[in-house]
Amino acid sequence: MNFHVLTLFPEMIEGGLNASITGRAMEKELVNVNAVNIRDYAMNKHKRVDDYPYGGGAGMVMQAEPIYLAYEDLMRKINTKNPRVVYLTPQGQTFHQNMAQDFAKENDIILLCGHYEGVDERVLEMIVTDYVSIGDYVLTGGELPAMVMIDAISRLVPGVLHNDTSAEFESFQEDLLEYPQYTRPEVFMDKKVPDVLLSGHHANIEAWRKEQSVLRTKERRPDLYERYIHQKIT
Ligand code: ADE
């Protein structure tokens, strides 16, 4: 699985994903992250990639040309004919576990990170297939959202997690949040691990966990709970 990130801050992408599970996934070559510096495609002496907005207004706008040239060069290098090209923007569809699962089927994904006040609309119209937001708040650029997507998608690639079942029983499966987890010691500051988990009775443990998932979802995410209940009765 190859992620190609078009960015003005490649060091942010490289530095942010090198540790922990994503780092190991790259080491094992299950996942490859290719950060492309858009500035390398600036065709002017000063390597300028932004300019004032037509019509006036605050801030600068990223120019179409260097982004298009970076994209074109990348397309020459990869095997996938029509890869999905994601533009990270608060104006996109909100990223979701189902979306991560859908993206995990791809071989190559191109992620375009904007900065300043935005990107010239024309290049977006020409290359972007998906507009994705990671939530209703505004960040300074698309790099963190791109890393969020890469992290969430990578862990669904077979072999990235230690056991493939750990991606199966987790939050958002069936619209439920994950049940609470405990590890040693059995008693921590007078707080005891629930008895059922020490019982060795697998059916009871499973039933308890399901019940906890439902309770927790109802309490913390009533919106998800409504969906879960609705699904069960339809
Ligand atoms: N760029 C700036 N804010 C963003 C957000 N919330 N999601 C995706 N891209 C962004």
Side-chain angles (χ1 to χ4, degrees):
M1 167 125 222
N2 303 303
F3 296 97
H4 310 274
V5 188
L6 306 182
T7 171
L8 289 174
F9 302 95
E11 68 285 357
M12 221 176 138
I13 303 292
E14 285 151 3
L17 294 164
N18 271 339
S20 187
I21 295 173
T22 48
R24 206 178 53 227
M26 291 196 284
E27 237 169 66
K28 289 203 272 178
E29 295 185 5
L30 296 168
V31 163
N32 171 50
V33 179
N34 166 31
V36 176
N37 194 342
I38 295 168
R39 201 175 296 280
D40 292 344
Y41 295 86
M43 290 296 125
N44 54 80
K45 208 166 61 198
H46 298 105
K47 295 264 163 212
R48 191 166 175 184
V49 290
D50 63 336
D51 211 328
Y52 295 100
Y54 276 119
M60 305 293 273
V61 176
M62 281 171 70
Q63 291 173 296
E65 186 185 64
I67 294 172
Y68 190 77
L69 292 176
Y71 164 81
E72 214 181 30
D73 193 28
L74 185 58
M75 290 299 287
R76 272 195 292 270
K77 293 173 182 164
I78 67 180
N79 291 322
T80 306
K81 269 275 154 293
N82 294 302
R84 289 174 82 171
V85 180
V86 179
Y87 177 51
L88 286 314
T89 166
Q91 299 177 13
Q93 257 195 301
T94 309
F95 191 53
H96 186 277
Q97 191 65 23
N98 291 345
M99 225 195 263
Q101 253 142 11
D102 190 39
F103 276 113
K105 297 173 195 150
E106 305 288 329
N107 274 324
D108 290 278
I109 300 174
I110 301 177
L111 300 146
L112 170 62
C113 305
H115 251 270
Y116 313 118
E117 297 307 307
V119 170
D120 190 310
E121 191 67 20
R122 292 167 293 184
V123 72
L124 299 178
E125 287 169 3
M126 289 165 78
I127 70 173
V128 173
T129 60
D130 300 82
Y131 292 83
V132 178
S133 164
I134 61 159
D136 288 340
Y137 40 83
V138 182
L139 299 165
T140 56
E143 283 75 13
L144 286 170
M147 285 191 268
V148 166
M149 284 189 71
I150 293 170
D151 189 295
I153 297 166
S154 296
R155 61 190 291 291
L156 300 175
V157 171
V160 169
L161 295 184
H162 270 311
N163 49 340
D164 280 347
T165 53
S166 55
E168 265 168 48
F169 301 100
E170 63 182 8
S171 293
F172 306 114
Q173 300 301 322
E174 257 197 300
D175 284 326
L176 288 176
L177 300 182
E178 198 186 13
Y179 48 79
Q181 298 274 23
Y182 301 86
T183 186
R184 287 201 288 184
E186 250 181 71
V187 182
F188 173 69
M189 290 186 161
D190 294 335
K191 285 167 82 74
K192 201 175 171 310
V193 171
D195 285 332
V196 63
L197 299 180
L198 310 173
S199 69
H201 192 300
H202 291 296
N204 286 356
I205 292 172
E206 209 177 304
W208 181 85
R209 284 179 164 168
K210 181 69 183 259
E211 181 188 61
Q212 290 295 313
S213 279
V214 173
L215 279 173
R216 175 161 282 202
T217 308
K218 188 174 178 189
E219 214 173 272
R220 298 185 183 180
R221 289 291 306 272
D223 56 321
L224 279 187
Y225 180 72
E226 283 305 314
R227 268 222 309 256
Y228 167 71
I229 292 296
H230 187 72
Q231 260 178 15
K232 273 184 48 140
I233 56 175
T234 54

